[in-house]
Amino acid sequence: KYDSCVYLKDTDTESIIYILLYVDDMLIACKSKMEIVKVKEMLKGEFEMKDIGLTSKILGMKILRGRTKDILTVTQKSYIAKVLKKFSMEKSKPVTTHMAQHFKLSHQNSPKSEEADYIKNVPYANAVGSLMYVMICTKPDLAYSASLVSGYMGKLEKLHWEALKWILRYLKGTIEAGLLYKKHEESAGNVTGFVDSDYAGCIDTRRSLTRYVFQFYGKTISWKCNLQKVVSLS
């Protein structure tokens, strides 16, 4: 039913084995290298598998390790470069903000008649899908803008496409940025959450937009941005 799954297994050595499965791609993580070897041998006995060793890339994400400093970085530079080229934005001028204030996006204004042919040929849904994948994997800073432009699939006008291209220009300027995870032995292993919302920020529905990000050991692990289901009165 699902394309991706996460499995956990406790071991006799008090180490937890994490198995992340997406279709036919798999990641195995554990503090004990010996336990990883055991799991691999067990799986090879049941399935035809190919072990490609230490992970460096998966599902468009590149994993870089800094062994001397105990850091791990996850980026999507190659994937973003392909997205920019696909939508003819590889030579565009980078910007430093993911959404400019002059974009007042709304359903209220229908596309102008002279824009109809232009809008018809715009690959908007495809571009939004690519943008959402980058946001979900490595770009929490895109959560707001991606949520904003994804709401106009059915009633598109030129301004919406211009806003989306602005976000692609922001991606070009931050193509090297990603998620950084660093080892901190002294840090408390608490989950910390940050939540914020605007007030009646949606022009069409007057619903508020809620944003959150959660961190574990001070490292970002979960984020989201979406409209509230009801209209806030204050």
Side-chain angles (χ1 to χ4, degrees):
K1 183 178 178 181
Y2 301 103
D3 290 332
S4 59
C5 296
V6 178
Y7 300 94
L8 304 179
K9 181 180 183 299
D10 287 320
T11 68
D12 296 335
T13 59
E14 297 183 354
S15 295
I16 299 177
I17 301 174
Y18 299 87
I19 301 177
L20 295 84
L21 181 66
Y22 185 87
V23 189
D24 58 351
D25 290 318
M26 180 187 297
L27 286 178
I28 304 175
C30 182
K31 289 183 178 181
S32 172
K33 187 177 293 186
M34 185 61 67
E35 293 295 340
I36 293 178
V37 172
K38 289 180 181 179
V39 171
K40 286 181 179 180
E41 293 302 320
M42 179 186 68
L43 292 173
K44 285 178 180 178
E46 298 291 334
F47 307 100
E48 183 178 343
M49 295 176 56
K50 182 179 180 181
D51 186 356
I52 61 174
L54 202 61
T55 307
S56 61
K57 188 176 182 180
I58 185 169
L59 304 177
M61 294 176 283
K62 188 170 184 178
I63 301 172
L64 302 173
R65 294 173 178 82
R67 294 294 188 185
T68 57
K69 297 181 180 179
D70 286 326
I71 60 174
L72 184 145
T73 307
V74 184
T75 66
Q76 287 179 284
K77 181 179 178 180
S78 297
Y79 178 80
I80 294 173
K82 291 179 182 178
V83 170
L84 293 172
K85 185 175 182 179
K86 181 177 181 179
F87 300 107
S88 303
M89 296 294 292
E90 71 273 19
K91 296 182 180 180
S92 61
K93 183 179 179 180
V95 294
T96 57
T97 58
H98 55 84
M99 181 60 68
Q101 290 188 349
H102 66 268
F103 290 116
K104 306 297 182 183
L105 305 185
S106 171
H107 285 296
Q108 295 174 359
N109 299 320
S110 299
K112 301 176 180 63
S113 57
E114 62 269 21
E115 295 178 0
D117 291 336
Y118 174 81
I119 293 299
K120 192 185 303 182
N121 298 316
V122 165
Y124 191 81
N126 201 334
V128 169
S130 299
L131 185 66
M132 291 293 289
Y133 185 68
V134 175
M135 182 275 292
I136 290 171
C137 292
T138 60
K139 294 281 191 178
D141 50 328
L142 289 183
Y144 168 75
S145 54
S147 174
L148 197 62
V149 297
S150 65
Y152 300 97
M153 300 282 205
K155 198 171 183 181
L156 179 64
E157 58 178 300
K158 189 175 181 180
L159 182 64
H160 300 137
W161 178 238
E162 294 298 325
L164 201 154
K165 289 198 295 183
W166 181 280
I167 303 172
L168 292 175
R169 290 171 60 192
Y170 172 74
L171 271 182
K172 183 179 180 183
T174 58
I175 194 170
E176 299 280 354
L179 296 174
L180 175 67
Y181 298 96
K182 188 174 182 180
K183 184 178 180 181
H184 288 289
E185 295 288 358
E186 302 85 12
S187 301
N190 296 325
V191 176
T192 306
F194 303 89
V195 182
D196 189 20
S197 67
D198 60 14
Y199 175 61
C202 179
I203 298 175
D204 300 305
T205 64
R206 308 309 296 168
R207 287 190 290 172
S208 302
L209 196 69
T210 297
R211 292 150 287 193
Y212 72 71
V213 59
F214 283 91
Q215 295 183 333
F216 186 54
Y217 280 100
K219 308 300 180 294
T220 301
I221 58 171
S222 179
W223 55 89
K224 192 175 183 180
C225 179
N226 62 346
L227 286 173
Q228 296 179 4
K229 295 182 179 180
V230 297
V231 177
S232 301
L233 299 180
S234 64

